[in-house]
Amino acid sequence: MTIFSFTLLIAFSLAITLTQTSLLRPEAEAKSGGFSIELIHPASKRSPASLSTELVPDLLGVYLINFSVGTPPKFQLAGADSGSDINWIQCEPCVQCYSQHLPIFNSLNSSTYKALPCNSSKCLGECHGSQCTYGTNYTDQSYSYGDLATEIFTFYSPQGFQEISFPDILFGCAHRSKLQNTDQMTTGIMGLGISPMSLVSQISPAFGKKFFYCFVPLAQLDVPSTLTFGENAWGSTGSVLFTPIHSNPSNSFYLLTLLGISVGDKRFDFFGNSSTISPEGNIAIDSGTTLTVLPTLLYNQVKTTISQAINVEPLVNENSTNICYKDLNAFDVPPVTMHFIAADVPLSKDNIIWPAGQGIWCLAFRPTENQPFYGNVAQTNFLVGYDLNKMIVSFKATDCTKMA
Ligand SMILES: *[C@@H]1O[C@H](CO)[C@@H](O)[C@H](O)[C@H]1NC(C)=O
Ligand SMILES: *[C@@H]1O[C@H](CO)[C@@H](O)[C@H](O)[C@H]1NC(C)=O
Ligand SMILES: *[C@@H]1O[C@H](CO)[C@@H](O)[C@H](O)[C@H]1NC(C)=O
Ligand SMILES: *[C@@H]1O[C@H](CO)[C@@H](O)[C@H](O)[C@H]1NC(C)=O
Ligand SMILES: *[C@@H]1O[C@H](CO)[C@@H](O)[C@H](O)[C@H]1NC(C)=O
Ligand SMILES: *[C@@H]1O[C@H](CO)[C@@H](O)[C@H](O)[C@H]1NC(C)=O
């Protein structure tokens, strides 16, 4: 997760959908995974094949899941982060918490909170007394430390028509946490990574190890985005591109292989200059990172070629490696294609530049000497699917403003 700080003066609406279709997996399978699904609303006797939520955008380029924790349920807004595994929310007592608008969760007030004891097989972290603890650092210097516990997580349907609850989700009750550039909407992080601790893995007995999201562009955050666990409910028209996921035991990222990037008719090969980046799985696709982070050389080639194609003088900011423009109506951003193995993903304007407010647009790429990331600006207006059984990521160009 790497949240890039920028301010957008954009209003947005908030909502949630739960798609309700055919069958649940066999009960035996659900039991073997240790999770059962409970449909709370009496009107819904059928079990869904997918769980679809509308995401609440925050102003920092993160898409937030609206759900509740505990009994009675307390609302949370957690960043949907395919670049990490641990689910956590801020909890009382706060040793060190960032400020948040929603009340901080108090486990003493929930009848379903169960602290994870050290002798549990799920305790992979450290121990303090008999309490199992966790700690996690993110690439942008954000972090979270606290107690591991299980709780009931509830997701909501549009206008509260339905709720779906998962009784024993393992999560971190954070007593010490920091988020870079938080706007105080976020109460935690929902890990959509590959390990058994992630939400995807924990609810996979019900929905399989598959999820999809469709993020609306930053310029249209007044329209909700969607996140769906389970089958893709949106039909099969249009062409879908598939590229393999390489897992690396040393981290929990979904690693893709980026062969190169084309700007117009110029193609630049991926050339990582860090020995830790192997040619296969050289870039992590991450819903929780805003900008696309490229090796310095590739970034410089892409930046220079894009800026040469743009007939507007960039704004001068001596403090920034970024490149920004004002009044872009008059220019055309050149076509950019991301060449993943087996998938040439064509980017459009909203994937290449992001609106910084007041008519200023900035390039949605930045350089790094470390781990490259395929960020969420580049993923907007694509239905992005993760299939952890087949170990593939899929991209389908989609108007995400029409999904919800
Ligand atoms: C979260 O969902 C609940 C239930 O639908 C709703 O009442 C609440 O306003 C939502 N919160 C946000 C921030 O969208
Ligand atoms: C939650 O628990 C704390 C500490 O036990 C208590 O002071 C507070 O009143 C409780 N809040 C609610 C809403 O029950
Ligand atoms: C863990 O320890 C507690 C207290 O010592 C004990 O009651 C419980 O049975 C143990 N559980 C496991 C899974 O060993
Ligand atoms: C996080 O980073 C800090 C500072 O570098 C380090 O002391 C700590 O051990 C790290 N924690 C984890 C869980 O990796
Ligand atoms: C990576 O490449 C860039 C551009 O060639 C260069 O400026 C930088 O020093 C290199 N870093 C390392 C660690 O080799
Ligand atoms: C660059 O940074 C300096 C020192 O932090 C600050 O005074 C200056 O206003 C910044 N310039 C721009 C254009 O942001």
Side-chain angles (χ1 to χ4, degrees), residues 237-273:
T237 56
S239 70
V240 184
L241 301 166
F242 298 96
T243 192
I245 298 169
H246 298 266
S247 62
N248 175 344
S250 73
N251 65 43
S252 61
F253 294 137
Y254 296 106
L255 298 171
L256 308 183
T257 302
L258 182 65
L259 302 173
I261 299 178
S262 291
V263 180
D265 57 8
K266 289 208 178 90
R267 176 166 170 155
F268 304 104
D269 289 338
F270 186 102
F271 188 73
N273 61 358

mmCIF file of all heavy atoms in Angstrom, residues 237-273:
data_model
loop_
_atom_site.group_PDB
_atom_site.id
_atom_site.type_symbol
_atom_site.label_atom_id
_atom_site.label_comp_id
_atom_site.label_asym_id
_atom_site.label_seq_id
_atom_site.Cartn_x
_atom_site.Cartn_y
_atom_site.Cartn_z
ATOM 1 N N THR A 237 -19.098 -10.283 -22.398
ATOM 2 C CA THR A 237 -18.876 -9.565 -23.652
ATOM 3 C C THR A 237 -17.607 -8.721 -23.543
ATOM 4 O O THR A 237 -17.203 -8.332 -22.448
ATOM 5 C CB THR A 237 -20.057 -8.641 -23.990
ATOM 6 O OG1 THR A 237 -20.252 -7.759 -22.889
ATOM 7 C CG2 THR A 237 -21.318 -9.432 -24.251
ATOM 8 N N GLY A 238 -17.004 -8.456 -24.674
ATOM 9 C CA GLY A 238 -15.783 -7.658 -24.683
ATOM 10 C C GLY A 238 -14.581 -8.540 -24.468
ATOM 11 O O GLY A 238 -14.679 -9.642 -23.939
ATOM 12 N N SER A 239 -13.409 -8.058 -24.870
ATOM 13 C CA SER A 239 -12.240 -8.918 -24.788
ATOM 14 C C SER A 239 -11.568 -8.775 -23.430
ATOM 15 O O SER A 239 -11.498 -7.691 -22.861
ATOM 16 C CB SER A 239 -11.266 -8.600 -25.924
ATOM 17 O OG SER A 239 -10.692 -7.351 -25.700
ATOM 18 N N VAL A 240 -11.125 -9.900 -22.921
ATOM 19 C CA VAL A 240 -10.481 -9.946 -21.616
ATOM 20 C C VAL A 240 -9.033 -10.373 -21.825
ATOM 21 O O VAL A 240 -8.757 -11.315 -22.562
ATOM 22 C CB VAL A 240 -11.198 -10.952 -20.685
ATOM 23 C CG1 VAL A 240 -10.572 -10.925 -19.302
ATOM 24 C CG2 VAL A 240 -12.683 -10.647 -20.603
ATOM 25 N N LEU A 241 -8.115 -9.648 -21.183
ATOM 26 C CA LEU A 241 -6.694 -9.966 -21.272
ATOM 27 C C LEU A 241 -6.282 -10.673 -19.983
ATOM 28 O O LEU A 241 -6.713 -10.289 -18.897
ATOM 29 C CB LEU A 241 -5.890 -8.671 -21.437
ATOM 30 C CG LEU A 241 -6.253 -7.831 -22.663
ATOM 31 C CD1 LEU A 241 -5.654 -6.426 -22.541
ATOM 32 C CD2 LEU A 241 -5.781 -8.516 -23.936
ATOM 33 N N PHE A 242 -5.462 -11.704 -20.128
ATOM 34 C CA PHE A 242 -5.014 -12.465 -18.953
ATOM 35 C C PHE A 242 -3.495 -12.461 -18.865
ATOM 36 O O PHE A 242 -2.816 -12.612 -19.886
ATOM 37 C CB PHE A 242 -5.475 -13.921 -19.052
ATOM 38 C CG PHE A 242 -6.961 -14.089 -19.069
ATOM 39 C CD1 PHE A 242 -7.643 -14.220 -20.273
ATOM 40 C CD2 PHE A 242 -7.681 -14.109 -17.887
ATOM 41 C CE1 PHE A 242 -9.020 -14.380 -20.299
ATOM 42 C CE2 PHE A 242 -9.061 -14.263 -17.899
ATOM 43 C CZ PHE A 242 -9.738 -14.394 -19.103
ATOM 44 N N THR A 243 -2.980 -12.319 -17.672
ATOM 45 C CA THR A 243 -1.533 -12.388 -17.474
ATOM 46 C C THR A 243 -1.249 -13.160 -16.183
ATOM 47 O O THR A 243 -2.027 -13.083 -15.237
ATOM 48 C CB THR A 243 -0.919 -10.965 -17.473
ATOM 49 O OG1 THR A 243 0.507 -11.065 -17.555
ATOM 50 C CG2 THR A 243 -1.284 -10.179 -16.229
ATOM 51 N N PRO A 244 -0.183 -13.970 -16.162
ATOM 52 C CA PRO A 244 0.049 -14.810 -14.978
ATOM 53 C C PRO A 244 0.550 -14.037 -13.755
ATOM 54 O O PRO A 244 1.242 -13.027 -13.881
ATOM 55 C CB PRO A 244 1.122 -15.796 -15.454
ATOM 56 C CG PRO A 244 1.783 -15.156 -16.619
ATOM 57 C CD PRO A 244 0.775 -14.255 -17.253
ATOM 58 N N ILE A 245 0.176 -14.557 -12.583
ATOM 59 C CA ILE A 245 0.688 -14.043 -11.308
ATOM 60 C C ILE A 245 1.887 -14.910 -10.911
ATOM 61 O O ILE A 245 1.810 -16.134 -10.972
ATOM 62 C CB ILE A 245 -0.372 -14.162 -10.184
ATOM 63 C CG1 ILE A 245 -1.619 -13.337 -10.502
ATOM 64 C CG2 ILE A 245 0.216 -13.777 -8.834
ATOM 65 C CD1 ILE A 245 -2.794 -13.623 -9.566
ATOM 66 N N HIS A 246 2.963 -14.265 -10.523
ATOM 67 C CA HIS A 246 4.110 -14.983 -9.961
ATOM 68 C C HIS A 246 4.108 -14.715 -8.476
ATOM 69 O O HIS A 246 4.145 -13.556 -8.068
ATOM 70 C CB HIS A 246 5.425 -14.469 -10.549
ATOM 71 C CG HIS A 246 5.520 -14.676 -12.019
ATOM 72 N ND1 HIS A 246 6.121 -15.770 -12.581
ATOM 73 C CD2 HIS A 246 5.061 -13.928 -13.042
ATOM 74 C CE1 HIS A 246 6.032 -15.689 -13.891
ATOM 75 N NE2 HIS A 246 5.395 -14.582 -14.208
ATOM 76 N N SER A 247 4.031 -15.765 -7.682
ATOM 77 C CA SER A 247 4.111 -15.478 -6.256
ATOM 78 C C SER A 247 5.555 -15.649 -5.813
ATOM 79 O O SER A 247 6.310 -16.427 -6.384
ATOM 80 C CB SER A 247 3.178 -16.370 -5.456
ATOM 81 O OG SER A 247 3.550 -17.702 -5.633
ATOM 82 N N ASN A 248 5.895 -14.868 -4.830
ATOM 83 C CA ASN A 248 7.238 -14.908 -4.293
ATOM 84 C C ASN A 248 7.082 -15.103 -2.797
ATOM 85 O O ASN A 248 6.461 -14.276 -2.137
ATOM 86 C CB ASN A 248 7.928 -13.569 -4.616
ATOM 87 C CG ASN A 248 9.300 -13.447 -4.001
ATOM 88 O OD1 ASN A 248 9.659 -14.207 -3.100
ATOM 89 N ND2 ASN A 248 10.067 -12.483 -4.465
ATOM 90 N N PRO A 249 7.604 -16.208 -2.270
ATOM 91 C CA PRO A 249 7.374 -16.505 -0.849
ATOM 92 C C PRO A 249 7.856 -15.386 0.080
ATOM 93 O O PRO A 249 7.398 -15.295 1.213
ATOM 94 C CB PRO A 249 8.191 -17.774 -0.617
ATOM 95 C CG PRO A 249 8.538 -18.310 -1.960
ATOM 96 C CD PRO A 249 8.464 -17.182 -2.928
ATOM 97 N N SER A 250 8.755 -14.533 -0.388
ATOM 98 C CA SER A 250 9.299 -13.516 0.505
ATOM 99 C C SER A 250 8.390 -12.300 0.644
ATOM 100 O O SER A 250 8.631 -11.427 1.463
ATOM 101 C CB SER A 250 10.684 -13.071 0.027
ATOM 102 O OG SER A 250 10.564 -12.270 -1.122
ATOM 103 N N ASN A 251 7.334 -12.214 -0.173
ATOM 104 C CA ASN A 251 6.361 -11.157 0.078
ATOM 105 C C ASN A 251 4.989 -11.627 -0.354
ATOM 106 O O ASN A 251 4.822 -12.690 -0.935
ATOM 107 C CB ASN A 251 6.763 -9.837 -0.609
ATOM 108 C CG ASN A 251 6.768 -9.949 -2.122
ATOM 109 O OD1 ASN A 251 5.868 -10.520 -2.711
ATOM 110 N ND2 ASN A 251 7.786 -9.398 -2.749
ATOM 111 N N SER A 252 3.978 -10.815 -0.055
ATOM 112 C CA SER A 252 2.617 -11.265 -0.320
ATOM 113 C C SER A 252 2.034 -10.590 -1.552
ATOM 114 O O SER A 252 0.839 -10.631 -1.774
ATOM 115 C CB SER A 252 1.750 -10.953 0.897
ATOM 116 O OG SER A 252 1.748 -9.561 1.108
ATOM 117 N N PHE A 253 2.881 -9.982 -2.372
ATOM 118 C CA PHE A 253 2.362 -9.239 -3.519
ATOM 119 C C PHE A 253 1.868 -10.157 -4.636
ATOM 120 O O PHE A 253 2.345 -11.276 -4.783
ATOM 121 C CB PHE A 253 3.447 -8.316 -4.100
ATOM 122 C CG PHE A 253 3.868 -7.208 -3.187
ATOM 123 C CD1 PHE A 253 5.213 -6.894 -3.049
ATOM 124 C CD2 PHE A 253 2.935 -6.469 -2.479
ATOM 125 C CE1 PHE A 253 5.619 -5.864 -2.219
ATOM 126 C CE2 PHE A 253 3.334 -5.433 -1.644
ATOM 127 C CZ PHE A 253 4.681 -5.134 -1.511
ATOM 128 N N TYR A 254 0.955 -9.624 -5.422
ATOM 129 C CA TYR A 254 0.587 -10.262 -6.683
ATOM 130 C C TYR A 254 1.551 -9.703 -7.730
ATOM 131 O O TYR A 254 1.409 -8.552 -8.164
ATOM 132 C CB TYR A 254 -0.844 -9.914 -7.076
ATOM 133 C CG TYR A 254 -1.882 -10.446 -6.109
ATOM 134 C CD1 TYR A 254 -2.542 -9.593 -5.236
ATOM 135 C CD2 TYR A 254 -2.192 -11.804 -6.084
ATOM 136 C CE1 TYR A 254 -3.500 -10.080 -4.358
ATOM 137 C CE2 TYR A 254 -3.149 -12.303 -5.203
ATOM 138 C CZ TYR A 254 -3.794 -11.430 -4.347
ATOM 139 O OH TYR A 254 -4.728 -11.913 -3.474
ATOM 140 N N LEU A 255 2.546 -10.507 -8.081
ATOM 141 C CA LEU A 255 3.589 -10.025 -8.977
ATOM 142 C C LEU A 255 3.251 -10.365 -10.419
ATOM 143 O O LEU A 255 2.947 -11.519 -10.741
ATOM 144 C CB LEU A 255 4.932 -10.641 -8.588
ATOM 145 C CG LEU A 255 5.413 -10.277 -7.180
ATOM 146 C CD1 LEU A 255 6.642 -11.100 -6.807
ATOM 147 C CD2 LEU A 255 5.722 -8.793 -7.067
ATOM 148 N N LEU A 256 3.276 -9.360 -11.274
ATOM 149 C CA LEU A 256 3.071 -9.548 -12.708
ATOM 150 C C LEU A 256 4.409 -9.315 -13.397
ATOM 151 O O LEU A 256 5.357 -8.823 -12.795
ATOM 152 C CB LEU A 256 2.032 -8.564 -13.237
ATOM 153 C CG LEU A 256 0.688 -8.514 -12.506
ATOM 154 C CD1 LEU A 256 -0.260 -7.537 -13.199
ATOM 155 C CD2 LEU A 256 0.057 -9.898 -12.412
ATOM 156 N N THR A 257 4.464 -9.685 -14.669
ATOM 157 C CA THR A 257 5.689 -9.461 -15.427
ATOM 158 C C THR A 257 5.424 -8.413 -16.493
ATOM 159 O O THR A 257 4.616 -8.629 -17.396
ATOM 160 C CB THR A 257 6.173 -10.773 -16.067
ATOM 161 O OG1 THR A 257 6.376 -11.724 -15.018
ATOM 162 C CG2 THR A 257 7.479 -10.553 -16.830
ATOM 163 N N LEU A 258 6.071 -7.267 -16.324
ATOM 164 C CA LEU A 258 5.931 -6.167 -17.281
ATOM 165 C C LEU A 258 7.135 -6.219 -18.217
ATOM 166 O O LEU A 258 8.273 -6.028 -17.796
ATOM 167 C CB LEU A 258 5.882 -4.829 -16.529
ATOM 168 C CG LEU A 258 5.686 -3.574 -17.385
ATOM 169 C CD1 LEU A 258 4.317 -3.582 -18.067
ATOM 170 C CD2 LEU A 258 5.846 -2.313 -16.544
ATOM 171 N N LEU A 259 6.860 -6.505 -19.489
ATOM 172 C CA LEU A 259 7.965 -6.608 -20.452
ATOM 173 C C LEU A 259 8.435 -5.225 -20.871
ATOM 174 O O LEU A 259 9.626 -4.999 -21.104
ATOM 175 C CB LEU A 259 7.507 -7.394 -21.679
ATOM 176 C CG LEU A 259 6.988 -8.810 -21.395
ATOM 177 C CD1 LEU A 259 6.401 -9.430 -22.644
ATOM 178 C CD2 LEU A 259 8.118 -9.669 -20.837
ATOM 179 N N GLY A 260 7.494 -4.291 -20.983
ATOM 180 C CA GLY A 260 7.853 -2.943 -21.395
ATOM 181 C C GLY A 260 6.632 -2.061 -21.490
ATOM 182 O O GLY A 260 5.510 -2.492 -21.190
ATOM 183 N N ILE A 261 6.880 -0.825 -21.897
ATOM 184 C CA ILE A 261 5.802 0.165 -22.031
ATOM 185 C C ILE A 261 5.988 0.870 -23.370
ATOM 186 O O ILE A 261 7.104 1.275 -23.712
ATOM 187 C CB ILE A 261 5.853 1.202 -20.889
ATOM 188 C CG1 ILE A 261 5.685 0.524 -19.522
ATOM 189 C CG2 ILE A 261 4.780 2.282 -21.078
ATOM 190 C CD1 ILE A 261 5.768 1.479 -18.341
ATOM 191 N N SER A 262 4.887 1.000 -24.122
ATOM 192 C CA SER A 262 4.940 1.780 -25.357
ATOM 193 C C SER A 262 4.276 3.134 -25.143
ATOM 194 O O SER A 262 3.214 3.216 -24.527
ATOM 195 C CB SER A 262 4.192 1.072 -26.492
ATOM 196 O OG SER A 262 4.897 -0.079 -26.878
ATOM 197 N N VAL A 263 4.919 4.149 -25.666
ATOM 198 C CA VAL A 263 4.317 5.480 -25.723
ATOM 199 C C VAL A 263 4.271 5.842 -27.205
ATOM 200 O O VAL A 263 5.321 5.964 -27.843
ATOM 201 C CB VAL A 263 5.148 6.518 -24.948
ATOM 202 C CG1 VAL A 263 4.484 7.907 -25.034
ATOM 203 C CG2 VAL A 263 5.337 6.095 -23.505
ATOM 204 N N GLY A 264 3.054 5.962 -27.757
ATOM 205 C CA GLY A 264 2.953 6.104 -29.200
ATOM 206 C C GLY A 264 3.593 4.891 -29.852
ATOM 207 O O GLY A 264 3.331 3.749 -29.445
ATOM 208 N N ASP A 265 4.491 5.115 -30.813
ATOM 209 C CA ASP A 265 5.128 3.965 -31.459
ATOM 210 C C ASP A 265 6.517 3.660 -30.899
ATOM 211 O O ASP A 265 7.268 2.869 -31.446
ATOM 212 C CB ASP A 265 5.170 4.153 -32.994
ATOM 213 C CG ASP A 265 5.885 5.442 -33.381
ATOM 214 O OD1 ASP A 265 6.464 6.099 -32.470
ATOM 215 O OD2 ASP A 265 5.877 5.791 -34.571
ATOM 216 N N LYS A 266 6.854 4.279 -29.769
ATOM 217 C CA LYS A 266 8.153 3.997 -29.135
ATOM 218 C C LYS A 266 7.969 3.002 -28.002
ATOM 219 O O LYS A 266 7.139 3.198 -27.112
ATOM 220 C CB LYS A 266 8.749 5.284 -28.553
ATOM 221 C CG LYS A 266 9.241 6.278 -29.584
ATOM 222 C CD LYS A 266 10.381 7.110 -28.969
ATOM 223 C CE LYS A 266 10.949 8.095 -29.966
ATOM 224 N NZ LYS A 266 10.246 9.400 -29.913
ATOM 225 N N ARG A 267 8.745 1.922 -28.038
ATOM 226 C CA ARG A 267 8.624 0.919 -26.988
ATOM 227 C C ARG A 267 9.880 0.894 -26.120
ATOM 228 O O ARG A 267 10.992 0.886 -26.636
ATOM 229 C CB ARG A 267 8.372 -0.462 -27.599
ATOM 230 C CG ARG A 267 8.328 -1.549 -26.546
ATOM 231 C CD ARG A 267 7.752 -2.831 -27.062
ATOM 232 N NE ARG A 267 7.963 -3.893 -26.086
ATOM 233 C CZ ARG A 267 7.222 -4.981 -25.989
ATOM 234 N NH1 ARG A 267 6.208 -5.159 -26.815
ATOM 235 N NH2 ARG A 267 7.484 -5.893 -25.081
ATOM 236 N N PHE A 268 9.646 0.870 -24.798
ATOM 237 C CA PHE A 268 10.760 0.833 -23.851
ATOM 238 C C PHE A 268 10.672 -0.453 -23.040
ATOM 239 O O PHE A 268 9.630 -0.749 -22.461
ATOM 240 C CB PHE A 268 10.711 2.051 -22.924
ATOM 241 C CG PHE A 268 10.696 3.351 -23.683
ATOM 242 C CD1 PHE A 268 9.521 4.082 -23.807
ATOM 243 C CD2 PHE A 268 11.840 3.812 -24.315
ATOM 244 C CE1 PHE A 268 9.503 5.269 -24.527
ATOM 245 C CE2 PHE A 268 11.828 4.991 -25.042
ATOM 246 C CZ PHE A 268 10.658 5.725 -25.149
ATOM 247 N N ASP A 269 11.778 -1.193 -22.983
ATOM 248 C CA ASP A 269 11.769 -2.438 -22.220
ATOM 249 C C ASP A 269 11.871 -2.145 -20.735
ATOM 250 O O ASP A 269 12.499 -1.169 -20.317
ATOM 251 C CB ASP A 269 12.951 -3.320 -22.641
ATOM 252 C CG ASP A 269 12.742 -3.888 -24.038
ATOM 253 O OD1 ASP A 269 11.568 -3.957 -24.473
ATOM 254 O OD2 ASP A 269 13.740 -4.245 -24.692
ATOM 255 N N PHE A 270 11.249 -3.032 -19.972
ATOM 256 C CA PHE A 270 11.411 -2.959 -18.522
ATOM 257 C C PHE A 270 12.854 -3.304 -18.224
ATOM 258 O O PHE A 270 13.361 -4.330 -18.652
ATOM 259 C CB PHE A 270 10.492 -3.964 -17.829
ATOM 260 C CG PHE A 270 10.501 -3.859 -16.329
ATOM 261 C CD1 PHE A 270 9.464 -3.233 -15.666
ATOM 262 C CD2 PHE A 270 11.552 -4.380 -15.582
ATOM 263 C CE1 PHE A 270 9.475 -3.125 -14.277
ATOM 264 C CE2 PHE A 270 11.575 -4.266 -14.196
ATOM 265 C CZ PHE A 270 10.530 -3.636 -13.544
ATOM 266 N N PHE A 271 13.506 -2.438 -17.492
ATOM 267 C CA PHE A 271 14.893 -2.685 -17.165
ATOM 268 C C PHE A 271 15.092 -2.257 -15.727
ATOM 269 O O PHE A 271 15.379 -1.103 -15.443
ATOM 270 C CB PHE A 271 15.788 -1.892 -18.124
ATOM 271 C CG PHE A 271 17.237 -2.232 -17.998
ATOM 272 C CD1 PHE A 271 17.727 -3.445 -18.472
ATOM 273 C CD2 PHE A 271 18.119 -1.345 -17.400
ATOM 274 C CE1 PHE A 271 19.065 -3.760 -18.349
ATOM 275 C CE2 PHE A 271 19.464 -1.660 -17.270
ATOM 276 C CZ PHE A 271 19.939 -2.870 -17.755
ATOM 277 N N GLY A 272 14.827 -3.198 -14.822
ATOM 278 C CA GLY A 272 14.963 -2.883 -13.406
ATOM 279 C C GLY A 272 16.423 -2.757 -13.054
ATOM 280 O O GLY A 272 17.230 -3.549 -13.528
ATOM 281 N N ASN A 273 16.813 -1.770 -12.282
ATOM 282 C CA ASN A 273 18.217 -1.678 -11.926
ATOM 283 C C ASN A 273 18.466 -2.036 -10.473
ATOM 284 O O ASN A 273 19.475 -1.709 -9.916
ATOM 285 C CB ASN A 273 18.812 -0.313 -12.292
ATOM 286 C CG ASN A 273 18.119 0.820 -11.571
ATOM 287 O OD1 ASN A 273 17.184 0.590 -10.830
ATOM 288 N ND2 ASN A 273 18.599 2.032 -11.801
#
